[in-house]
């Protein structure tokens, strides 16, 4: 077979029909022999002449040389930044078509990567597609004339697309106005922008957050020196013009890295946080804490997650990757949950979560730790949550954490994922460990962009043996681990104390045998021939199993 690189040549033009989208929003068409070509700013149904700009062995990248027949889904791209930014990958098609493609993308990932035949529920599209983002992180730099600018990085580069004369259409208008004021302050005080090549300069990013319901705005500057110069002049300029700015902070990040924020934030003015109201919960949001960028769609997402959770007031809810506690607290409020435990690795987020629980008069325990590691610790402690919520970052969950969750045997697992690929992978693992994919619904939190959120319900189903709740407090809990084994008398004492059940050595040996553990040679034997050996009742088996887990014997 001849090499396709000799058939299709770089800089040559070929007729092409776009048939599908990639997850990044690029159109895909196929030339002779199924040779795939990826073309940005096209839509399924476009008939084009494509110019190949990069040709590889089995696929190529191209640009539109001429539009022959536009897709019925195509609309005019009304963003002034046009095709330079690369953020709004779907702005050239109708929103109805965007929702359709996003639903197909999620379903394809679940089927192709997860192996699931189950179809997605209809996507929850957004009523508001413009000015919905409550967060912006603008890099600061210079244009070719060495003029200070801010904006967004062009796709797959660190070249800044300036926004000083063309505000972003999915951001609140005031974000650009505040950023303009920061640039003015830098110019007046001769404060330089950071340059990645020379590793010199002061200000790296302008970071903004807004409370949708309160209108409060937080401004945070990210720079290289330990202290921000001329900060009092900045605070005076900003607060005089923008009354809605209630907090100004500074984060030092001297490293030459793609990570935006430094390790901590210094409050220069105001409270150090803003407040918002989400699902009837008043929340505090600090610069370092995670908070969903689309308020209205987040309320719909959390409502759906709550329906999937189907909690009762006496249930125990474990919220992993809890951020500032919003999803767990919203469920606790809706179902009057008395037992909520949240885990998050960011210290400031946990402080916000604790504050939010207190602010709303709700009892909850929030732990600052890695979600995966803490899941394993809690499993070893014998925790039996009724429902577990997983809201991981784009990389998804790791297998150790997922395994620990399955070993806790919650009745339901609710996954909230911003990455359909990792969601499909993680769901596949959970189903291999005994769970069933019941339902999943895409939710569009990011209109006009290539991103989509998905809410997923997995169920354990009916469990034959009675599940016994272990009541305990995390206050002062020693997470250093337990002894590796225990005597029969210790197991009996633990089961009696925790479950109020008396168990015999015979029953303990039966369960140890089930788990592949060594037992004394005379256990389970009778001196009489054909004697019937009593079998351990289900409720006692459950209690003994938990004791073995408690002593880390299984």
């Amino acid at each position: 077979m001849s090499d396709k690189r000799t058939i299709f040549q770089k800089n040559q033009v070929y007729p092409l029909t776009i048939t599908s989208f990639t997850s990044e929003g690029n159109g895909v068409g196929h030339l002779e022999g199924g040779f795939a070509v990826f073309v940005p700013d096209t839509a399924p149904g476009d008939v084009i002449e494509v110019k190949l700009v990069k040709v590889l062995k089995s696929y190529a990248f191209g640009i539109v040389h001429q539009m022959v027949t536009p897709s019925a889904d195509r609309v005019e791209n009304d963003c002034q930044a046009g095709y330079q930014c690369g953020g709004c990958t779907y702005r050239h098609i109708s929103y109805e078509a965007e929702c359709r493609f996003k639903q197909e993308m999620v379903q394809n990932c679940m089927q192709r990567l997860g192996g699931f035949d189950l179809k997605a529920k209809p996507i929850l599209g957004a009523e508001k597609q413009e000015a919905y983002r409550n967060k912006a992180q603008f890099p600061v730099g210079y244009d070719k004339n060495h003029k200070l600018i801010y904006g967004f990085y062009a796709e797959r580069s660190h070249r800044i697309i300036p926004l000083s004369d063309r505000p972003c259409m999915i951001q609140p208008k005031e974000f650009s106005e505040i950023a303009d004021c920061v640039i003015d302050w830098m110019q007046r005080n001769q404060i330089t922008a950071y340059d990645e090549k020379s590793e010199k300069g002061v200000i790296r990013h302008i970071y903004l957050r807004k409370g949708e319901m309160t209108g409060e705005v937080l401004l945070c500057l990210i720079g290289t020196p330990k202290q921000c110069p001329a900060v009092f002049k900045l605070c005076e300029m900003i607060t005089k013009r923008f009354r809605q700015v209630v907090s100004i902070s500074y984060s030092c990040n001297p490293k030459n890295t793609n990570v935006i924020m430094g390790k901590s934030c210094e409050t220069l003015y105001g409270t150090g946080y803003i407040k918002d109201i989400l699902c009837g919960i008043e929340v505090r949001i600090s610069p370092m804490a995670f908070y969903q960028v689309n308020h209205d769609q987040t309320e719909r997402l959390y409502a759906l997650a709550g329906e999937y959770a189907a909690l009762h007031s006496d249930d125990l809810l474990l919220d992993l990757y809890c951020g500032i506690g919003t999803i767990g607290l919203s469920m606790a409020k809706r179902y009057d949950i008395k037992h909520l435990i949240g885990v998050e690795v960011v210290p400031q987020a946990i402080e916000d979560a604790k504050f939010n629980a207190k602010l709303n008069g709700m009892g909850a325990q929030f732990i600052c730790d890695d979600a995966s590691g803490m899941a394993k610790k809690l499993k070893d402690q014998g925790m039996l949550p009724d429902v577990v919520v997983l809201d991981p970052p784009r990389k998804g969950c790791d297998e150790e954490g997922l395994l620990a969750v399955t070993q806790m045997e919650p009745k339901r697992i609710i996954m909230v994922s911003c990455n359909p690929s990792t969601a499909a992978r993680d769901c596949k693992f959970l189903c291999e460990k005994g769970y069933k994919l019941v339902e999943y619904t895409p939710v569009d939190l990011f209109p006009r962009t290539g991103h989509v959120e998905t809410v997923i319900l997995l169920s354990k189903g009916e469990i034959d043996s009675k599940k016994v709740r272990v009541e305990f407090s995390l206050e002062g809990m020693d997470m250093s681990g337990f002894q590796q084994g225990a005597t029969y008398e210790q197991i009996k004492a633990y089961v009696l104390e925790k479950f109020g059940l008396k168990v015999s050595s015979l029953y303990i040996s039966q369960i140890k045998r089930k788990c592949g553990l060594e037992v004394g040679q005379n256990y389970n034997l009778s001196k009489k021939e054909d004697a019937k050996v009593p079998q351990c009742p289900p409720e006692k088996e459950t209690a003994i199993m938990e004791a073995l887990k408690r002593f880390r014997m299984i």
Side-chain angles (χ1 to χ4, degrees), residues 134-319:
N134 58 38
K135 175 183 177 181
Q137 292 172 315
F138 299 127
V140 179
Y142 298 95
D143 63 13
K144 59 183 179 180
N145 299 315
H146 205 67
K147 176 186 175 183
L148 272 172
I149 58 171
Y150 71 92
F152 293 120
Y153 288 132
E155 190 174 13
R156 290 182 170 83
S157 80
H158 274 201
R159 177 174 59 88
I160 298 175
I161 305 301
L163 291 175
S164 54
D165 58 346
R166 45 187 174 190
C168 176
M169 298 182 70
I170 62 174
Q171 308 274 6
K173 183 180 178 182
E174 64 219 77
F175 278 10
S176 293
E177 294 172 348
I178 294 170
D180 287 339
C181 191
V182 173
I183 295 297
D184 183 32
W185 163 75
M186 291 177 65
Q187 291 171 333
R188 290 187 184 192
N189 294 276
Q190 298 182 327
I191 296 173
T192 58
Y194 178 74
D195 178 72
E196 291 179 333
K197 292 182 180 179
S198 66
E199 299 186 26
K200 294 181 180 179
V202 177
I203 301 300
R204 304 172 67 127
H205 281 82
I206 301 170
Y207 170 30
L208 292 153
R209 264 188 159 158
K210 180 182 178 180
E212 181 73 17
M213 302 301 292
T214 62
E216 296 181 352
V217 174
L218 176 153
L219 166 64
C220 180
L221 295 185
I222 295 92
T224 54
K226 290 184 178 180
Q227 292 184 328
C228 183
V231 291
F232 296 112
K233 293 181 180 179
L234 169 67
C235 294
E236 183 179 357
M237 286 180 66
I238 293 292
T239 55
K240 184 176 181 179
R241 183 175 174 184
F242 304 99
R243 299 294 184 185
Q244 65 268 48
V245 176
V246 300
S247 177
I248 301 175
S249 302
Y250 177 74
S251 179
C252 173
N253 183 5
K255 297 181 179 180
N256 191 8
T257 173
N258 288 332
V259 177
I260 294 176
M261 299 292 289
K263 292 184 178 180
S264 61
C265 281
E266 176 191 2
T267 300
L268 307 176
Y269 167 84
T271 57
Y273 58 84
I274 57 174
K275 288 183 179 179
D276 201 10
I277 300 173
L278 185 69
C279 299
I281 300 292
E282 189 174 357
V283 294
R284 182 177 79 175
I285 311 161
S286 299
M288 304 286 286
F290 173 79
Y291 188 63
Q292 292 282 10
V293 300
N294 188 329
H295 175 275
D296 294 352
Q297 283 295 92
T298 298
E299 289 197 324
R300 298 182 72 190
L301 183 150
Y302 284 6
L304 178 61
E307 290 177 14
Y308 281 179
L311 290 154
H312 297 90
S313 61
D314 61 343
D315 281 343
L316 172 59
L317 172 62
L318 175 60
D319 183 7

Side-chain angles (χ1 to χ4, degrees), residues 74 82 161 416:
R74 182 174 284 279
I161 305 301
V416 178

Side-chain angles (χ1 to χ4, degrees), residues 477-550:
M477 179 181 288
D478 180 11
M479 295 296 185
S480 60
F482 299 102
Q483 66 190 82
Q484 295 297 323
T487 65
Y488 279 66
E489 294 308 315
Q490 287 173 319
I491 293 172
K492 291 178 184 179
Y494 176 84
V495 170
L496 181 61
E497 179 183 354
K498 293 296 182 181
F499 301 94
L501 297 173
K502 291 184 178 181
V503 294
S504 66
S505 297
L506 173 64
Y507 289 162
I508 295 172
S509 69
Q510 289 175 354
I511 307 309
K512 288 180 72 175
R513 284 184 183 277
K514 279 190 175 184
C515 297
L517 299 176
E518 184 177 353
V519 298
Q521 62 178 359
N522 291 324
Y523 285 125
N524 272 345
L525 301 179
S526 173
K527 296 179 181 179
K528 298 179 181 180
E529 292 185 357
D530 301 321
K532 293 184 178 180
V533 178
Q535 296 300 304
C536 182
E539 67 273 18
K540 293 189 177 182
E541 177 177 340
T542 300
I544 293 169
M545 288 287 285
E546 290 307 316
L548 298 179
K549 292 177 182 178
R550 164 65 172 78

